Amino acid sequence: MLMKPPPGLAPAQMVQDSRVNRGVFVDPQVFELEMQRIFAATWVYLGHESEVAEPGSYKATTLGAQPVLLTRDAQGALHALINACRHRGVLLADDHTQGKCRHFVCPYHGWTFDLAGKLVSVPMRERQTNTFKEAELGLVSVARLDSYRGFVFASLNPHVPTLPQHLGAAAEFFDLFADLSPSGQIRVETGVTRYQFRGNWKQQVENSMDGYHPSLVHYSFFEDVLKPRIGRGMGFIVGPQSPATNVSLGNGHALIDFRAFDRKAILGAEKPKSEQDWHDALRARYADRPGYADAVIACNGGDGFNLLVYPNLVLINNQIRVIHPVSYDRTEVFAYPVTLEDVAPEINTARVRAHEDFYGPASFGAPDDIEMFQRQWDGMLRTPAMEWLHYDRGLDQEVPLGEHGRQSHVSDETAHRGIWRRWLQLMQEGA
Amino acid sequence: MATSVDQAAVERFLYQEAKLLDERRYEDWVGLFTEDGVYWAPSGHEGPAERSVALIYDNTPRLRERLTRMGSRAFWAQQPPTHTTRLVGNVLVQASAEHADEIDVECRFILALLRRHRQALLSGVARYRLRPAQDGFRIREKVVTLQERDESFDNLTFLI
């Protein structure tokens, strides 16, 4: 059942070419509609397989604003289940917890479900009516579940295109991200950096693809901290002469592509000695693919790429960033540093320390972004007299890239226009 | 075993440190750390620092970078600054069993915050490894375990 559009502007009126009505961010009814038409309609990232590596493990997360359980059952199969008892709707595991168990037992009346979602036990079963069927009262499952390179996605829409179709041009960047590991396997195992802000989820989506803000917002890192460290500030990365690009990949996916740089590490001041062994292992692994190992290596160290997989996943540097929309005015972000299999322990420690350098609420980067989200929210929320936000940077200079993509200078808003095209398409489908 | 530890001297040191932090006398505060000092605020992840993402994991050079940012003209997350008032108590002092000439200190703290008209409260345990110095002590390690370490924050750019 599709919800009606909000009584204000229809989606097509709110997103026009390169301007967006502020109501898209600040109208609670738009948020409700997004949960239906975006988060319940397309693929949403739930977690990495390494977070539920063992049979019997689970992770309580969200799909849009809904609580879900990502589980691995006793046979090793993955499931994604709505995290609420079928009897009276009680949450079965606290939000954002992980663990191992054989069953989820509802603490209210004791209904018991296995990790595949099957209802296996109901206390005092004999008092149920004779039409009561356990088979019909398993936990509500998502309609589709699939993974790529260990990244698990779910959809509540049984008619959603396949995950490979959905990922499209974004898929190769998962390869570049995971192939940094000599075994091809990455792990989420060192915890998470959590942050939140009073504001809308799309602010974090946009910011993750914004190559226009760093020289000002991150001035205190790039000019005051980084320049003394490596002898260069931010100008070479995002200034007018930068070879980096701002890319729309199609389906709302987007990229800031820094790979054209002569590689010089930005995050994490010290390079472990065993880095050479690791890189040699990659060159051996990809000996039959000339240039590929070096292409992978060039993505490490803070100057590879930022990838947005619309609507809720971002890969940056060593990091898997998951955006959780809580309500129209509340957003939570989970940033997981990723470790590599089959490298020296110090390589992974350096990856964790590099993550802490710029991400998280006490780091040298993210707090200044969060501060901008806050100031942006405090501005947008209270200014109906200023209706429109502008996204036209580089519009007349962007060029096609591949089948569905477009690209332009890193500081342009090509990615953002692609994000808004996708938003509009999803919000209008079935309307 | 080391000689008896002067509880009152350690308490004076902790109160002085708290005063430097609340008065934002950061240069003086960093001066309390040894050159091999560590300032660590773990996240909720259980495990050794090498395998766990932290809220803060600073060696002394990085701590100096943190202060450089404090002095930057474009450190937005501290413009306006977070005002802090902290109470330190329940101070337990003992000679270090592992490190000769060092003192292990554990205390509790309550930290009241005010930034842009919003108040907040943090609390937790701070553990120190202190080295006696001519004028008091130097901090070899300060580990701040926030009660709130597993919560989502929006801004932890003040000093804890």
Side-chain angles (χ1 to χ4, degrees), chain A residues 189-197 216-221 224-225 229 270 332 334 337 339 348-349 352-353 355-357 361-365 367-368 370-372 374-375, chain B residues 40 43-45 49-59 62-63 65-66 68-69 71-80 115-116 118 150-157:
Chain A
E189 59 178 358
T190 56
V192 60
T193 308
R194 296 173 66 148
Y195 58 91
Q196 62 159 334
F197 57 94
L216 185 54
V217 172
H218 301 304
Y219 182 96
S220 67
F221 176 69
D224 296 328
V225 172
R229 260 192 216 169
E270 291 167 23
E332 202 167 7
F334 280 49
T339 56
N348 283 325
T349 299
V352 174
R353 295 288 96 88
H355 174 83
E356 291 158 358
D357 207 12
S363 72
F364 291 178
D368 294 318
I370 298 169
E371 175 69 10
M372 292 308 139
Q374 208 61 80
R375 294 186 191 204
Chain B
W40 178 22
S43 70
H45 188 258
E50 294 72 28
R51 306 282 295 161
S52 303
V53 69
L55 294 167
I56 297 167
Y57 193 88
D58 288 356
N59 53 22
R62 184 170 160 78
L63 204 49
E65 290 179 341
R66 195 173 286 280
T68 298
R69 239 162 79 75
S72 171
R73 63 192 176 93
F75 183 15
W76 308 108
Q78 280 300 310
Q79 292 175 11
R115 180 166 189 260
R116 209 179 266 139
R118 274 176 60 211
D150 229 357
E151 301 299 314
S152 296
F153 296 97
D154 57 0
N155 190 332
L156 281 181
T157 55

Side-chain angles (χ1 to χ4, degrees), chain A residues 144-157:
Chain A
R144 293 277 182 276
L145 188 71
D146 199 0
S147 69
Y148 184 71
R149 296 304 300 262
F151 291 79
V152 182
F153 293 80
S155 180
L156 293 169
N157 176 7

Side-chain angles (χ1 to χ4, degrees), chain A residues 51-291:
Chain A
E51 294 176 90
V52 285
E54 305 286 320
S57 53
Y58 71 88
K59 172 192 179 183
T61 182
T62 68
L63 195 167
Q66 297 192 62
V68 295
L69 296 162
L70 176 63
T71 70
R72 192 181 289 279
D73 70 21
Q75 282 69 49
L78 290 172
H79 304 270
L81 309 160
I82 297 296
N83 179 7
C85 179
R86 286 298 302 278
H87 180 210
R88 300 279 189 83
V90 171
L91 211 59
L92 295 167
D94 277 341
D95 283 336
H96 302 303
T97 56
Q98 287 177 256
K100 276 187 83 171
C101 62
R102 290 182 57 200
H103 298 110
F104 296 111
V105 182
C106 178
Y108 197 2
H109 302 99
W111 285 29
T112 299
F113 304 87
D114 68 17
L115 268 66
K118 189 178 162 203
L119 177 59
V120 293
S121 158
V122 174
M124 290 186 280
R125 171 70 175 82
E126 67 282 5
R127 300 293 302 164
Q128 303 295 148
T129 65
N130 58 15
T131 59
F132 184 88
K133 292 192 180 66
E134 275 85 347
E136 294 171 355
L137 290 168
L139 296 177
V140 174
S141 174
V142 299
R144 293 277 182 276
L145 188 71
D146 199 0
S147 69
Y148 184 71
R149 296 304 300 262
F151 291 79
V152 182
F153 293 80
S155 180
L156 293 169
N157 176 7
H159 308 297
V160 72
T162 65
L163 182 62
Q165 287 173 322
H166 169 72
L167 294 178
E172 72 168 285
F173 296 95
F174 288 88
D175 295 335
L176 291 167
F177 194 80
D179 285 338
L180 264 175
S181 161
S183 72
Q185 300 293 324
I186 57 172
R187 287 188 189 142
V188 175
E189 59 178 358
T190 56
V192 60
T193 308
R194 296 173 66 148
Y195 58 91
Q196 62 159 334
F197 57 94
R198 195 167 57 84
N200 188 268
W201 65 279
K202 298 186 292 299
Q203 293 175 264
Q204 175 68 91
V205 169
E206 288 187 343
N207 166 265
S208 301
M209 292 297 114
D210 190 314
Y212 193 22
H213 79 291
S215 30
L216 185 54
V217 172
H218 301 304
Y219 182 96
S220 67
F221 176 69
F222 287 107
E223 297 303 319
D224 296 328
V225 172
L226 185 70
K227 200 180 250 175
R229 260 192 216 169
I230 68 167
R232 287 195 287 185
M234 195 63 195
F236 79 102
I237 303 171
V238 295
Q241 306 305 320
S242 169
T245 53
N246 189 267
V247 181
S248 165
L249 291 169
N251 282 349
H253 311 323
L255 189 72
I256 301 180
D257 193 342
F258 295 116
R259 289 174 297 164
F261 281 102
D262 179 19
R263 178 170 176 269
K264 172 130 183 152
I266 295 169
L267 301 181
E270 291 167 23
K271 293 285 132 197
K273 293 184 195 69
S274 50
E275 192 175 79
Q276 193 58 48
D277 297 339
W278 162 33
H279 292 173
D280 289 346
L282 291 177
R283 291 192 180 99
R285 179 179 167 91
Y286 300 113
D288 59 340
R289 295 174 65 183

Side-chain angles (χ1 to χ4, degrees), chain B residues 36-134:
Chain B
D36 58 352
V38 171
Y39 171 50
W40 178 22
S43 70
H45 188 258
E46 300 287 333
E50 294 72 28
R51 306 282 295 161
S52 303
V53 69
L55 294 167
I56 297 167
Y57 193 88
D58 288 356
N59 53 22
T60 303
R62 184 170 160 78
L63 204 49
R64 290 191 199 287
E65 290 179 341
R66 195 173 286 280
L67 300 201
T68 298
R69 239 162 79 75
M70 289 286 188
S72 171
R73 63 192 176 93
F75 183 15
W76 308 108
Q78 280 300 310
Q79 292 175 11
T82 308
H83 298 281
T84 65
T85 301
R86 68 198 73 207
L87 287 179
V88 176
N90 303 16
V91 179
L92 297 171
V93 180
Q94 62 178 23
S96 172
E98 293 170 45
H99 307 276
D101 301 329
E102 290 188 350
I103 298 167
D104 288 338
V105 177
E106 178 183 304
C107 67
R108 307 272 152 172
F109 66 89
I110 291 177
L111 175 55
L113 308 172
L114 177 66
R115 180 166 189 260
R116 209 179 266 139
H117 317 295
R118 274 176 60 211
Q119 283 199 303
L121 197 68
L122 294 176
S123 59
V125 181
R127 293 188 181 84
Y128 296 77
R129 273 173 58 196
L130 299 181
R131 283 184 190 153
Q134 292 250 307

